[in-house]
Amino acid sequence: MATVRIGGVRVAYVRVGRGAPLVLVHGAGTDGRMWLPQLEELAAEFTVVAWDEPGAGRSAGLPAGFGLGDFARCLAGVIEDLGQGPAHVAGLSWGGTVALELYRHRPELVRTLILADTYAGWKGSLPPEEVAARVEGVRRMLAMPREEFDPLLPGLFAGEPPAAYVPMLDAAAGDVRPETMGAELFLMAEADERDLLPLIEVPTLLVWGELDVRSPLGVAHAFEEAIPGARLVVLPGAGHMSNLEAPEAFDRAVREFCRAHA
């Protein structure tokens, strides 16, 4: 575990392995623990880094008015703290939107982009009526008493969560801060990164669960069409949390892609 202070915010991250840096950016309502299988399997070849974003896990709380660009600047600070130059940057769901915003502000820090089951923001990827329904769901979730707060969003898995990761998921869910999750999801609802996609000049891999209902395959195909040279890998039988539901196939796709663009 390492920490770095960026603009007054203390950010924690795990760093394992040796080799080119591979920085993993988690989704909303969780923390760096969601990358457990990747930390275990990819460290033999890469310096694998999983941050706890500001407001999550072992990082400090969110300052007032913290925006998407602030998350991206903190992610840039983590990459700079590694001292290994540009990194392979992989983000899942909300984490992919943060990775895109990082590329918007600091493209020189990004060796490649790996976008998994993500969005160009909800506004940029989903129909307006779906965004409105999700926002209303977030409001209802945040209105629950603290002791009844449940950060698990509907449709994260194609089936039941993988049994091997249930203890980790339960522990991470128990540590979620409602104020952080609300901030993330409301930022996601307003984000629209579509203007950036045609401007991406680094190699880009898209990894999607075949049965993802939160970010359906149509979103993946829109990314594939918009990002020059993007390559799409679809993981059969997996849902939104494809790195946990199909870890071997996920890791294989990431490993081969990063090797090809070392």
Side-chain angles (χ1 to χ4, degrees):
M1 174 62 62
T3 60
V4 59
R5 189 167 292 274
I6 306 157
V9 180
R10 180 178 51 80
V11 179
Y13 63 91
V14 170
R15 172 180 181 169
V16 295
R18 298 179 66 181
L22 169 60
V23 177
L24 306 174
V25 191
H26 61 80
T30 184
D31 56 39
R33 283 173 283 187
M34 68 159 275
W35 296 109
L36 177 63
Q38 287 68 52
L39 288 164
E40 291 178 343
E41 295 300 323
L42 296 175
E45 194 163 342
F46 305 99
T47 299
V48 186
V49 175
W51 83 335
D52 291 344
E53 70 177 11
R58 289 149 292 192
S59 291
L62 287 183
F66 208 74
L68 181 57
D70 297 305
F71 281 101
R73 280 187 283 275
C74 284
L75 183 57
V78 169
I79 295 173
E80 290 176 323
D81 194 56
L82 298 175
Q84 292 184 249
H88 303 289
V89 180
L92 189 145
S93 192
W94 153 257
T97 306
V98 174
L100 286 170
E101 191 70 5
L102 168 70
Y103 185 81
R104 181 187 296 279
H105 293 286
R106 299 293 305 277
E108 76 280 6
L109 295 178
V110 181
R111 182 189 303 265
T112 68
L113 278 171
I114 301 162
L115 304 173
D117 299 278
T118 191
Y119 313 89
W122 284 353
K123 185 176 181 180
S125 290
L126 300 175
E129 59 274 16
E130 174 65 16
V131 176
R134 292 190 182 196
V135 168
E136 180 57 32
V138 173
R139 290 192 175 122
R140 289 196 301 270
M141 177 183 68
L142 295 174
M144 298 293 289
R146 183 74 179 231
E147 62 273 13
E148 298 178 25
F149 175 73
D150 182 359
L152 293 181
L153 297 167
L156 290 180
F157 297 96
E160 292 297 316
Y165 303 122
V166 166
M168 175 271 291
L169 290 166
D170 287 344
D175 291 337
V176 171
R177 306 171 207 177
E179 60 275 13
T180 299
M181 189 166 182
E184 293 167 337
L185 296 180
F186 288 134
L187 286 171
M188 181 81 95
E190 292 298 323
D192 187 346
E193 303 279 334
R194 284 176 292 182
D195 66 306
L196 176 65
L197 303 184
L199 306 178
I200 293 174
E201 297 181 345
V202 296
T204 302
L205 175 68
L206 310 170
V207 185
W208 240 261
E210 174 192 25
L211 304 180
D212 189 346
V213 296
R214 291 201 61 82
S215 181
L217 273 178
V219 177
H221 292 307
F223 271 89
E224 187 180 23
E225 292 176 6
I227 299 175
R231 174 175 172 246
L232 172 62
V233 174
V234 178
L235 305 184
H240 192 61
M241 299 287 284
S242 60
N243 72 304
L244 296 178
E245 286 192 278
E248 292 183 2
F250 187 100
D251 293 349
R252 182 168 56 251
V254 170
R255 183 185 296 110
E256 292 175 357
F257 175 75
C258 292
R259 280 177 180 171
H261 300 286

